[in-house]
Amino acid sequence: MMSNASVEKWGVFEAAFNGPSAGNPYLDVAFDAVFSQNSREVRVPGFYDGDGVYRVRFMPDNEGEWSFRTRSKASELNGKTGSFVATKPSAGNHGPVHVHNKFHFAYADGKPFLSFGTTCYAWTHQPLDMQAQTLDTLKKSRFNKIRMGVFPKDYPYNVNEPLYPCFEKGADGKEDFDRPNPVLFRHFEKQVAALCDLGIEADIIMFHPYDRWGYADMSAEQDFRYVAYLAARLSAYRNVWWALANEYDFLLDTKPLQQWDRYFHILEENDPYGHLKSIHNGEPTMNFDHRKPWVTHTCIQNWDVKRTQEWREAYGKPVVNDEPEYEGNIIQSWGNLTAQELVHRFWITATRGGYAGHGETYSHPEDLIWWAKGGELRGEAWKRIGFLRDLLEQDVVNGLEPMASFGEWPWTRVSGARDGDVCYIYLGEHQPVIWSTGLPKDGADYEVDIIDTWEMTVTPAKKVEAPIPHPTRHGAVVRGGKADAAFGVELPGRPYQALRIRKNH
Amino acid sequence: MMSNASVEKWGVFEAAFNGPSAGNPYLDVAFDAVFSQNSREVRVPGFYDGDGVYRVRFMPDNEGEWSFRTRSKASELNGKTGSFVATKPSAGNHGPVHVHNKFHFAYADGKPFLSFGTTCYAWTHQPLDMQAQTLDTLKKSRFNKIRMGVFPKDYPYNVNEPLYPCFEKGADGKEDFDRPNPVLFRHFEKQVAALCDLGIEADIIMFHPYDRWGYADMSAEQDFRYVAYLAARLSAYRNVWWALANEYDFLLDTKPLQQWDRYFHILEENDPYGHLKSIHNGEPTMNFDHRKPWVTHTCIQNWDVKRTQEWREAYGKPVVNDEPEYEGNIIQSWGNLTAQELVHRFWITATRGGYAGHGETYSHPEDLIWWAKGGELRGEAWKRIGFLRDLLEQDVVNGLEPMASFGEWPWTRVSGARDGDVCYIYLGEHQPVIWSTGLPKDGADYEVDIIDTWEMTVTPAKKVEAPIPHPTRHGAVVRGGKADAAFGVELPGRPYQALRIRKNH
């Protein structure tokens, strides 16, 4: 039993106890703890970690003294008590990320979280030196979220055996889906913690169809226990996001729709912190009904990124488009975009109020491809995505809100979004030589910069008189006939330019 | 009265008669003729052409002897008879274009018509030397359709006065919308005929909202008479297409939906040849219901060209996307695309079974902009569009049919279409270094070329063994595990490449 223990706020407090090891403790032994601060009580599930050891992990969300008492029908695990002090969070610990301002995210301490994610589905199953390399690469990139599976992957360019089986093998040499392998899960959570140290959210994918080990075909009961087990082991890590699936729709034949709802409910029952929860589609026509209350944000795979406002309006939640296709040159059409096009899609998504995700799929003689295995980044988009993140983090506090609802002129054709006194207009494939729409209408002092999204330059724009277009009739509405802004700016007449407008105070 | 007259099949036969000129003949005098060949009768409306002259025009669709008899309550115009011989069509005369193979077009003689249109809304209202220049430019370009308004345009970059008023001016100096100006219409039809000589279809826009002369605000009765008048004057020109509107939805406040249906019906009543009829939207959410039987094809303004199959399936008719945005650099977002992007949208549209339209809007010190006024082409897209037309005309007979319905893998992400033994795959922003999907599965002899759509080069592709992707599960479907084609091809790993696959016989 601990005493005089301390852990920082949003850190991981852990208590371990010896308990029954006969039979199958995963099935036979229920065990949780109630953590208390003053009159407040939080129920926290424990889990079996093999070798007769049971653990319970807790992430305090408030400083000060906490105590706990365990509960179990197994007497060794029942009524154990302890206490600890939650101290001030250390630098860089902002707590877990939650939905903020309806369409955006923030850390628990209020710091905005602008999601710039990447994808390394099976990086924790690669050789350890490659995993170290992945963490090194992440350290030098500017991604702050990574999509990663619990299970390994059986897929093109993904045929190597994982480091560890996910479940313990029985006497017959086959994995027993009723016995999670503690070695695998200890390793997995070590890497989740390593990401946390780098300030990177772990978007943990629970299920996917790309499987040769039988994980995709476990029974519903086994799935439910697995979800509860993940929640008990990992919820105390503040950087955890729950991604129920990669491409859930390709699993519907064996895991029907209501079963997916149940996974969400099990997380609600067993994750006391309410980490972010989402579910990712395969076919563009197969979005989950993200309006369901247990889905915290809209996770989407869709290349048609100008529809970002449509998804915001359809689901009323933050939109994370994690697969607007990947930069690369492999034969699969989801993985052979030019770097330019992926950067373009990031800018469009950001300036329509959403968050895009990155992946990189350049063919490699040994199939060492970032999107699945991590290792090294070989492309060009990641640098521009980092540039975009750095830019936005200078100004964005509440989240970029699109200039208009879905369908409103001209913000269907070009992209623009604002947050308070800062506004970004992304012109993409458009190359006007002069621009005024969306620029300020008042006489205040504004600073306008032209951003070359590919060259990563920021240049002060030359202000000019706003053009006065000849008036035109659109039904009862007359457009034009007067300038639509207090001033215009000259543009270089090249594509992939953005404007940043900031009010000087 | 003619006798021993002759006109080529699909040429314009015209007969003129003197009749009443008192009052307002446009309102007061009804006049038509019945043209007969053997037992077949065709009712053809006549029209008043000013100065007491009435005309009836007829486009014979069959060779041989034709006769006619006029009908009118005005005795001078009643019971007049005549005859002529329709001769073999001259070279280049293929008759009017109609819908062919559900989603495509062909001339009356069966020659396929692959629509490659451009846009010069008000070219017939510009100074005559500029009109001559427009025809010269069209001669050297490869466009075979042009969108052009009957009425002049009052719009940004379009503020000059037209050559002629569309209606005769009354004593008060105001145009009388009950009296079409024969001078204007004679000039207009002369230019329609000039286009016909160049093999270019005249897609004649009847109504648009961009008006300072009152044409957009005529009464319903005046509109109905105007439509009937156009049909009577112009239907005999074989290259006429009826475009009821540019951006009909911006006129709905004064011309409600059922009024548009009536315009279509008036054309059905007065155009004996059933020329193509369409109607063009402004906002992307405001497509007309193109399923209505009087709409022959889907005319659309939408930049989201990967949705082409969706529109085909929604309306079951040929899709002509006449405004996938224009090449240019003006401030308006519909008119500042890069040439590269417009060429890209043409290829996407073509290889998804649709037809795109061109426009060019580079700002010019004197507002001489092709899209409205004609004159000179200053951009880069038109050459590549001509290259695309030349390519397709080598092989396409029945029309390019998309490889898959809307939503089917991977033809949502990349574009591909076939016509019999020829197949085009357009990879656009995708840059694989090897490709096999959509290539032939059989062992026949195929010629494969790589087309650089911007550089306008055609290079034989290097065939290689088709890759065998590791099998993947998608629900009950297993993909991969075997090659998806008999062979693969190497690609340069650059964007904007297409593949052409032709069977050698």
Side-chain angles (χ1 to χ4, degrees):
Chain A
M1 289 310 328
M2 335 260 132
S3 65
N4 303 322
S6 81
V7 64
E8 65 185 276
K9 181 179 172 182
W10 300 312
V12 180
F13 171 84
E14 180 179 300
F17 309 91
N18 291 315
S21 60
N24 185 347
Y26 295 106
L27 297 182
D28 304 339
V29 183
F31 157 63
D32 66 11
V34 176
F35 284 76
S36 317
Q37 189 174 46
N38 302 322
S39 303
R40 181 176 171 216
E41 293 195 337
V42 183
R43 184 241 161 202
V44 180
F47 63 93
Y48 183 59
D49 197 28
D51 304 319
V53 177
Y54 291 76
R55 299 180 197 279
V56 63
R57 289 175 180 160
F58 178 63
M59 179 184 78
D61 59 5
N62 196 45
E63 291 174 40
E65 191 129 354
W66 286 85
S67 61
F68 68 86
R69 171 180 296 268
T70 66
R71 304 186 303 190
S72 179
K73 282 182 180 157
S75 58
E76 308 101 294
L77 300 172
N78 189 43
K80 304 288 178 183
T81 59
S83 63
F84 67 95
V85 171
T87 59
K88 216 164 111 63
S90 58
N93 172 359
H94 302 283
V97 172
H98 291 302
V99 171
H100 188 63
N101 290 335
K102 187 164 180 173
F103 291 112
H104 303 285
F105 301 104
Y107 293 99
D109 72 353
K111 183 182 153 77
F113 177 79
L114 308 183
S115 180
F116 285 90
T118 187
T119 309
C120 302
Y121 284 124
W123 77 277
T124 63
H125 296 284
Q126 306 307 314
L128 292 175
D129 55 347
M130 192 174 186
Q131 295 190 39
Q133 192 187 34
T134 303
L135 290 168
D136 279 350
T137 303
L138 286 170
K139 199 168 186 170
K140 78 176 180 194
S141 79
R142 298 281 289 123
F143 296 113
N144 58 13
K145 181 173 87 70
I146 187 170
R147 297 175 69 226
M148 51 193 277
V150 176
F151 294 136
K153 201 156 174 178
D154 181 56
Y155 200 75
Y157 323 106
N158 286 263
V159 294
N160 56 327
E161 269 303 306
L163 280 186
Y164 314 108
C166 293
F167 295 88
E168 287 183 9
K169 291 190 177 175
D172 60 358
K174 287 189 184 155
E175 289 185 56
D176 177 353
F177 300 135
D178 292 332
R179 291 179 185 267
N181 178 9
V183 177
L184 177 283
F185 285 95
R186 278 178 218 138
H187 177 71
F188 187 81
E189 70 205 13
K190 185 184 132 203
Q191 297 301 48
V192 169
L195 292 169
C196 191
D197 290 344
L198 295 176
I200 297 172
E201 304 296 301
D203 203 359
I204 297 174
I205 298 167
M206 295 180 156
F207 297 100
H208 68 72
Y210 308 113
D211 176 68
R212 67 171 178 264
W213 303 273
Y215 306 145
D217 294 305
M218 301 193 303
S219 71
E221 280 309 311
Q222 286 168 333
D223 282 355
F224 297 152
R225 280 197 297 271
Y226 158 73
V227 172
Y229 183 75
L230 283 177
R233 276 203 87 108
L234 287 158
S235 293
Y237 293 87
R238 65 178 172 270
N239 63 324
V240 163
W241 296 28
W242 302 117
L244 269 70
N246 188 49
E247 304 187 334
Y248 84 97
D249 43 322
F250 298 138
L251 280 166
L252 285 175
D253 57 336
T254 53
K255 303 185 195 300
L257 213 50
Q258 67 276 17
Q259 194 163 318
W260 294 95
D261 286 332
R262 182 68 197 131
Y263 302 149
F264 277 105
H265 299 166
I266 291 169
L267 288 173
E268 293 190 312
E269 292 165 13
N270 291 284
D271 165 5
Y273 322 105
H275 285 290
L276 291 166
K277 294 185 285 295
S278 73
I279 180 166
H280 172 97
N281 61 296
E283 291 296 341
T285 51
M286 287 298 286
N287 285 357
F288 196 79
D289 183 357
H290 302 290
R291 293 173 306 174
K292 290 181 174 176
W294 38 87
V295 183
T296 56
H297 60 285
T298 298
C299 178
I300 234 163
Q301 170 174 201
N302 204 306
W303 62 91
D304 200 356
V305 291
K306 286 190 181 173
R307 300 177 67 180
T308 300
Q309 294 111 307
E310 187 182 330
W311 304 317
R312 282 170 48 107
E313 293 176 25
Y315 304 116
K317 297 181 184 180
V319 170
V320 180
N321 187 347
D322 269 320
E323 273 195 69
E325 300 183 328
Y326 303 135
E327 176 188 358
N329 65 0
I330 58 172
I331 196 170
Q332 287 82 1
S333 317
W334 43 259
N336 50 30
L337 276 194
T338 61
Q340 285 83 351
E341 180 69 21
L342 183 57
V343 173
H344 179 55
R345 293 183 186 181
F346 260 79
W347 273 89
I348 290 174
T349 303
T351 52
R352 288 171 185 255
Y355 299 93
H358 165 269
E360 201 185 83
T361 44
Y362 283 103
S363 64
H364 182 275
E366 294 151 45
D367 286 344
L368 303 184
I369 303 184
W370 174 261
W371 132 91
K373 296 181 179 174
E376 285 180 86
L377 285 162
R378 302 174 212 282
E380 289 295 326
W382 67 272
K383 300 167 205 168
R384 278 85 186 175
I385 294 166
F387 169 74
L388 173 58
R389 177 180 169 194
D390 289 342
L391 270 183
L392 296 190
E393 288 191 348
Q394 286 178 35
D395 298 290
V396 176
V397 176
N398 301 300
L400 283 174
E401 284 293 305
M403 302 290 250
S405 315
F406 182 67
E408 276 184 49
W409 166 268
W411 306 108
T412 41
R413 301 177 187 264
V414 295
S415 308
R418 64 169 72 253
D419 177 19
D421 282 345
V422 67
C423 168
Y424 280 86
I425 294 170
Y426 175 59
L427 296 167
E429 71 278 26
H430 297 269
Q431 54 173 6
V433 288
I434 187 170
W435 187 260
S436 61
T437 309
L439 298 190
K441 294 180 199 287
D442 64 14
D445 181 25
Y446 289 93
E447 185 185 312
V448 184
D449 295 293
I450 298 172
I451 295 158
D452 187 310
T453 63
W454 182 256
E455 299 298 336
M456 299 185 278
T457 56
V458 179
T459 316
K462 189 180 163 197
K463 289 185 195 173
V464 294
E465 226 169 284
I468 302 181
H470 192 71
T472 58
R473 168 197 167 129
H474 285 91
V477 178
V478 172
R479 278 186 199 151
K482 54 185 202 303
D484 62 2
F487 58 91
V489 291
E490 280 185 8
L491 282 165
R494 284 196 307 270
Y496 310 115
Q497 308 298 303
L499 286 168
R500 178 179 62 186
I501 302 102
R502 298 200 275 199
K503 194 171 191 171
N504 288 323
H505 291 285
Chain B
M1 288 308 326
M2 334 260 133
S3 65
N4 303 321
S6 81
V7 64
E8 65 184 277
K9 180 178 171 182
W10 301 312
V12 180
F13 170 83
E14 180 178 299
F17 309 92
N18 291 314
S21 59
N24 185 346
Y26 296 106
L27 296 182
D28 304 337
V29 183
F31 158 61
D32 66 10
V34 177
F35 283 75
S36 317
Q37 189 175 46
N38 301 320
S39 304
R40 182 175 168 215
E41 294 194 336
V42 182
R43 185 241 159 202
V44 180
F47 63 95
Y48 181 58
D49 198 28
D51 302 320
V53 177
Y54 292 75
R55 299 180 196 279
V56 64
R57 289 175 179 159
F58 178 63
M59 178 186 77
D61 59 5
N62 197 43
E63 291 173 40
E65 191 128 358
W66 286 86
S67 62
F68 67 88
R69 171 179 298 269
T70 66
R71 306 185 302 190
S72 179
K73 284 184 179 156
S75 59
E76 308 100 294
L77 299 172
N78 191 44
K80 304 288 178 183
T81 59
S83 64
F84 66 95
V85 172
T87 59
K88 214 164 113 66
S90 58
N93 172 0
H94 303 283
V97 172
H98 290 303
V99 172
H100 187 62
N101 291 333
K102 186 165 180 171
F103 291 111
H104 303 285
F105 301 103
Y107 293 97
D109 73 352
K111 182 181 153 78
F113 177 79
L114 308 183
S115 179
F116 286 90
T118 187
T119 309
C120 301
Y121 284 123
W123 77 277
T124 63
H125 297 284
Q126 305 308 314
L128 292 175
D129 55 347
M130 192 174 185
Q131 296 190 39
Q133 191 187 34
T134 303
L135 291 168
D136 279 349
T137 303
L138 286 169
K139 200 169 187 171
K140 76 176 183 195
S141 78
R142 297 281 291 125
F143 296 114
N144 57 13
K145 181 173 85 71
I146 187 169
R147 297 176 68 226
M148 53 194 274
V150 176
F151 294 136
K153 203 161 173 175
D154 180 56
Y155 200 75
Y157 323 107
N158 287 262
V159 294
N160 55 327
E161 269 303 306
L163 280 187
Y164 314 107
C166 294
F167 295 87
E168 289 182 7
K169 291 188 179 175
D172 59 358
K174 287 188 185 157
E175 290 184 57
D176 177 354
F177 302 136
D178 292 330
R179 292 180 184 267
N181 178 9
V183 177
L184 177 283
F185 286 94
R186 280 178 216 138
H187 176 72
F188 188 80
E189 69 206 14
K190 186 186 128 199
Q191 297 301 49
V192 169
L195 292 169
C196 190
D197 289 344
L198 295 176
I200 297 173
E201 304 296 302
D203 204 358
I204 296 173
I205 298 168
M206 296 180 156
F207 297 100
H208 67 73
Y210 307 114
D211 178 66
R212 67 170 177 265
W213 304 273
Y215 306 145
D217 294 304
M218 299 193 302
S219 71
E221 280 309 311
Q222 286 168 332
D223 283 354
F224 298 152
R225 279 197 297 271
Y226 159 73
V227 172
Y229 182 75
L230 283 177
R233 277 203 86 107
L234 287 159
S235 293
Y237 294 86
R238 65 178 173 270
N239 63 325
V240 163
W241 295 28
W242 302 117
L244 269 69
N246 189 50
E247 304 187 332
Y248 83 98
D249 44 322
F250 298 138
L251 281 167
L252 285 174
D253 56 337
T254 53
K255 302 183 195 301
L257 213 49
Q258 66 276 19
Q259 195 162 317
W260 294 95
D261 286 333
R262 183 67 197 134
Y263 302 149
F264 277 105
H265 300 165
I266 291 170
L267 289 173
E268 292 189 313
E269 292 165 14
N270 292 286
D271 165 5
Y273 322 105
H275 285 289
L276 291 166
K277 292 185 285 298
S278 73
I279 180 167
H280 172 96
N281 60 296
E283 291 296 340
T285 51
M286 288 298 286
N287 285 358
F288 196 79
D289 183 357
H290 303 289
R291 294 171 306 174
K292 290 182 175 176
W294 38 87
V295 184
T296 56
H297 60 285
T298 299
C299 179
I300 234 162
Q301 170 173 200
N302 203 306
W303 62 89
D304 200 357
V305 292
K306 286 190 179 172
R307 299 176 68 180
T308 300
Q309 294 111 306
E310 187 183 329
W311 305 317
R312 282 170 47 108
E313 293 177 26
Y315 304 115
K317 297 181 184 180
V319 169
V320 180
N321 187 347
D322 269 320
E323 274 195 68
E325 300 180 331
Y326 302 135
E327 176 188 359
N329 64 1
I330 57 173
I331 196 170
Q332 287 82 1
S333 318
W334 45 258
N336 51 29
L337 276 193
T338 62
Q340 285 83 352
E341 181 69 21
L342 184 57
V343 172
H344 178 55
R345 294 183 186 180
F346 260 79
W347 273 87
I348 290 174
T349 304
T351 53
R352 288 171 185 256
Y355 299 94
H358 166 269
E360 202 186 81
T361 43
Y362 283 102
S363 63
H364 182 275
E366 293 150 47
D367 287 345
L368 303 183
I369 303 185
W370 174 260
W371 131 93
K373 298 183 179 172
E376 285 179 87
L377 285 162
R378 302 174 210 282
E380 289 295 325
W382 66 274
K383 301 167 204 169
R384 278 82 186 176
I385 294 165
F387 169 75
L388 172 58
R389 178 180 169 193
D390 289 342
L391 270 181
L392 297 189
E393 288 191 348
Q394 286 178 36
D395 298 290
V396 176
V397 176
N398 301 300
L400 284 174
E401 284 293 304
M403 301 291 249
S405 314
F406 183 68
E408 275 183 49
W409 166 269
W411 306 108
T412 41
R413 300 176 187 264
V414 295
S415 309
R418 64 171 71 252
D419 177 17
D421 283 345
V422 68
C423 167
Y424 280 86
I425 294 169
Y426 175 59
L427 296 167
E429 72 277 26
H430 296 269
Q431 52 171 7
V433 289
I434 188 169
W435 187 260
S436 61
T437 308
L439 298 190
K441 294 178 198 288
D442 64 15
D445 181 23
Y446 288 92
E447 187 184 311
V448 184
D449 295 294
I450 298 171
I451 295 158
D452 187 309
T453 62
W454 182 257
E455 298 298 336
M456 299 186 278
T457 57
V458 179
T459 316
K462 190 180 164 195
K463 290 186 195 173
V464 294
E465 228 170 282
I468 302 182
H470 191 70
T472 57
R473 166 196 167 129
H474 285 91
V477 178
V478 172
R479 277 187 198 150
K482 55 185 200 308
D484 60 3
F487 57 91
V489 290
E490 280 184 8
L491 282 165
R494 285 197 306 270
Y496 309 115
Q497 308 297 303
L499 286 168
R500 178 180 61 186
I501 303 102
R502 298 199 277 198
K503 194 173 192 169
N504 288 323
H505 292 282

